[in-house]
Amino acid sequence: MTHLKPETMGQQFGRRSWAEPWKIKMVEPLRMISREERERALVEAGYNTFLLRSDDVYIDLLTDSGTSAMSDRQWAGMMLGDEAYAGSRNFYHLEEAVRHHYGFRHVLPTHQGRGAEHLISQVAIKPGQFVPGNMYFTTTRLHQELAGGHFVDVIIDEAHDPEDLHPFKGDVDLDKLGALIERVGAGQVAYVSLAGTVNMAGGQPVSMANVRAVRDLCARHGIRLFLDATRLVENAFFIQEREAGFADRSIADIVLEFCSYSDGAWMSAKKDNLVNIGGWLAVNDDDQFEELRNLIVVYEGLHTYGGLAGRDMEALAIGIEESVQDDHVRSRIGQVRYLGELLTDWGIPIVQPVGGHAVFLDARRFFPHIPQDEFPAQTLAAELYLDSGIRSMERGIASAGRDAKTGDHNRPKLELTRLTIPRRVYTQAHMDVVAESVKAVHDGRGSTGGLRMTYEPKYLRFFQARFERL
Ligand code: P61
């Protein structure tokens, strides 16, 4: 038997290795159930990974939302919760952290991102108006539609091509945006909805040059620009890495400049901001803030807690400070990239370039024999779970829902299965296990059949839909 010389990952990739800028103080045991038990669990869950019990999951890559590990400082902050109904000191700490790191004037806490999306949509959209954005996100678009808006995708075409290597696939196509303004008139555009990074495109970033140009175009027409800041810190990493003139600027500094081109932002703090629950909404305009501050008491809670406990706001304020540290972001995205590079090396089709929060498997090329109407990405998520108990998420035809007018499926160009990496939770060895499982499913791909949807909820169907094998 021959023995290969062991090499570190750094050696294998011809560079020095990196390591996480933290050590582990507390662990949570993992459990893997048998293949027969997984078969049973999957049938019970209607082939939908959202409906699995987490006890039946081995490595959970469903999402990076609320699944990150808090630091010892954040846990210590939980003990400093001021649970006053009004004026909690933790709110003022949170307000200060958002102002300092994102630069907005007015801050409202919300229970999570969609709470903030709901409020901004209700206040900033008049029924019948258009909301251009750099690719849809499920909850964002739904809240815009529920407020009477029409979402229009103005992202560059490259974003819809998983093989295109454009370094900023989240960029807005200025011609598309300009044409929309021309067609409907500036008064009919509620605001531009800009997400950095773009989740559904594969965690792809927006360049600073692009946000500046979008800002200029908006300013010329008197249109507001709002950010989805959920993963803006990760976006800043790509600007630092790829955009000329930013290599020596800190992530914190880049985030601040990016936000300075906008009128406000909504945030799911469960991602970048390193908490298990929470969100915020921030705007600069005094009158708009007045309206939002009034509306928040109807849906979330008083404007100094917005659905969060004092302790949650404290953990969030500390999480914001930790989230913009260069070392943290580099190792977080480094881990995602490590998994992506392994899969690329093995010829497995994924969205390129690898994005910030996840590796997205390209289910169209993975299962070319399964037509889109038979849910190839949902099938791939099911197969991965069967192989190894790894949980991933469909981001294709099921997620895209139906066209409000025709009632037919929306058929997105991207049919993806997302392996989402929580922050500070899994090790490099876990990534190896994940990569080997994806490879095993890829090796046996020819014999896999698709799925049929047997139950379809009205809103955000992918969360609770049920499927069976064809
Ligand atoms: C996720 F399958 N994302 O990626 P909330 N904006 C952006 C998000 O990524 C986001 C929200 C707003 C989730 C959770 C989730 O179709 C789905 O705090 C860019 O989740 O309310 C959430 O923030 C909303 C998973 C949401 C989904 C919707 O896993």
Side-chain angles (χ1 to χ4, degrees):
M1 189 174 160
T2 55
H3 289 277
L4 295 174
K5 186 166 120 331
E7 286 189 321
T8 65
M9 271 304 138
Q11 286 166 340
Q12 287 180 35
F13 288 104
R15 52 170 153 72
R16 292 288 290 268
S17 290
W18 55 267
E20 294 79 4
W22 38 259
K23 56 185 177 175
I24 296 164
K25 178 144 40 189
M26 189 187 283
V27 297
E28 181 180 342
L30 294 179
R31 189 173 78 108
M32 199 208 272
I33 57 175
S34 68
R35 169 115 195 170
E36 295 74 57
E37 288 170 315
R38 292 201 293 278
E39 295 265 9
R40 261 201 308 279
L42 194 63
V43 171
E44 248 172 59
Y47 290 85
N48 185 347
T49 51
F50 279 108
L51 301 180
L52 289 167
R53 291 169 181 243
S54 93
D55 275 348
D56 294 337
V57 171
Y58 173 43
I59 297 176
D60 201 347
L61 306 187
L62 181 71
T63 177
D64 62 333
S65 180
T67 54
S68 296
M70 292 208 298
S71 68
D72 51 358
R73 287 180 66 242
Q74 285 178 289
W75 279 107
M78 297 287 280
M79 297 305 291
L80 302 177
D82 169 8
E83 306 304 345
Y85 188 90
S88 161
R89 91 172 69 89
N90 311 117
F91 164 73
Y92 296 104
H93 187 189
L94 169 62
E95 183 184 53
E96 182 192 301
V98 174
R99 282 182 176 159
H100 183 72
H101 287 292
Y102 292 87
F104 299 113
R105 199 173 310 144
H106 302 295
V107 182
L108 292 166
T110 60
H111 77 283
Q112 60 182 84
R114 69 198 74 176
E117 290 175 335
H118 172 222
L119 297 175
I120 192 72
S121 303
Q122 291 298 324
V123 165
I125 301 172
K126 293 196 195 78
Q129 282 187 320
F130 295 84
V131 189
N134 54 346
M135 199 173 273
Y136 86 98
F137 186 69
T138 53
T139 55
T140 316
R141 181 178 65 187
L142 180 60
H143 281 298
Q144 291 164 351
E145 287 172 353
L146 291 173
H150 305 291
F151 173 81
V152 183
D153 189 1
V154 293
I155 203 167
I156 56 172
D157 288 342
E158 287 88 336
H160 295 280
D161 177 356
E163 291 176 82
D164 194 291
L165 293 177
H166 192 294
F168 290 103
K169 283 168 98 171
D171 279 358
V172 166
D173 183 325
L174 295 162
D175 292 336
K176 286 185 193 170
L177 179 57
L180 175 75
I181 297 171
E182 184 110 322
R183 181 165 66 81
V184 304
Q188 275 300 94
V189 177
Y191 55 88
V192 172
S193 172
L194 186 76
T197 59
V198 182
N199 194 347
M200 303 300 277
Q204 303 295 331
V206 177
S207 65
M208 195 71 89
N210 191 250
V211 69
R212 284 179 190 147
V214 173
R215 175 61 183 181
D216 289 348
L217 185 58
C218 285
R220 279 206 298 283
H221 293 279
I223 297 169
R224 288 206 169 125
L225 171 58
F226 288 112
L227 302 178
D228 181 334
T230 298
R231 296 185 183 84
L232 191 59
V233 169
E234 292 172 3
N235 196 99
F237 171 84
F238 291 110
I239 291 177
Q240 188 188 56
E241 180 183 61
R242 297 177 184 169
E243 197 164 350
F246 289 94
D248 297 327
R249 301 263 302 272
S250 67
I251 299 277
D253 193 29
I254 295 170
V255 167
L256 209 50
E257 181 183 334
F258 201 101
C259 289
S260 74
Y261 301 119
S262 74
D263 297 289
W266 63 88
M267 179 74 182
S268 170
K270 303 169 74 175
K271 283 79 163 177
D272 269 358
N273 287 172
L274 296 165
V275 285
N276 303 121
I277 194 70
W280 47 262
L281 176 61
V283 294
N284 286 332
D285 184 81
D286 296 339
D287 294 338
Q288 194 160 52
F289 174 63
E290 188 83 24
E291 239 184 294
L292 290 164
R293 189 176 59 172
N294 190 208
L295 197 62
I296 198 171
V297 299
V298 182
Y299 293 106
E300 301 281 311
L302 189 67
H303 58 280
T304 56
Y305 77 87
L308 296 177
R311 56 182 174 271
D312 295 331
M313 292 190 283
E314 190 59 27
L316 172 49
I318 298 168
I320 288 173
E321 287 154 24
E322 292 181 0
S323 73
V324 296
Q325 302 302 316
D326 285 55
D327 277 359
H328 157 69
V329 191
R330 194 174 309 116
S331 90
R332 185 275 187 287
I333 293 181
Q335 189 179 44
V336 176
R337 198 170 280 176
Y338 171 78
L339 176 61
E341 283 174 357
L342 277 180
L343 296 175
T344 306
D345 246 27
W346 292 344
I348 291 159
I350 64 170
V351 173
Q352 300 284 1
V354 177
H357 64 303
V359 173
F360 288 71
L361 305 172
D362 183 356
R364 280 182 195 274
R365 282 184 292 151
F366 205 105
F367 290 142
H369 58 287
I370 303 181
Q372 190 170 28
D373 281 21
E374 295 175 12
F375 305 100
Q378 190 80 33
T379 305
L380 180 48
E383 290 302 315
L384 264 177
Y385 174 71
L386 278 181
D387 180 73
S388 56
I390 290 166
R391 171 152 69 172
S392 56
M393 183 194 291
E394 195 265 7
R395 297 278 76 170
I397 187 170
S399 295
R402 289 184 184 274
D403 184 289
K405 275 203 204 104
T406 67
D408 193 10
H409 291 301
N410 290 317
R411 290 189 180 74
K413 287 206 180 112
L414 296 173
E415 178 69 27
L416 310 173
T417 304
R418 188 179 77 172
L419 300 164
T420 338
I421 316 298
R423 296 161 189 78
R424 313 193 290 203
V425 171
Y426 292 112
T427 68
Q428 193 152 309
H430 290 110
M431 297 302 110
D432 289 345
V433 169
V434 172
E436 287 175 21
S437 173
V438 174
K439 185 170 184 311
V441 175
H442 192 245
D443 289 345
R445 63 194 178 278
S447 57
T448 308
L451 297 169
R452 188 169 70 87
M453 202 188 298
T454 56
Y455 166 66
E456 181 176 355
K458 186 168 165 202
Y459 300 114
L460 303 173
R461 63 182 185 178
F462 54 89
F463 278 130
Q464 293 151 333
R466 301 186 70 81
F467 301 83
E468 63 185 21
R469 275 200 196 285
L470 279 166

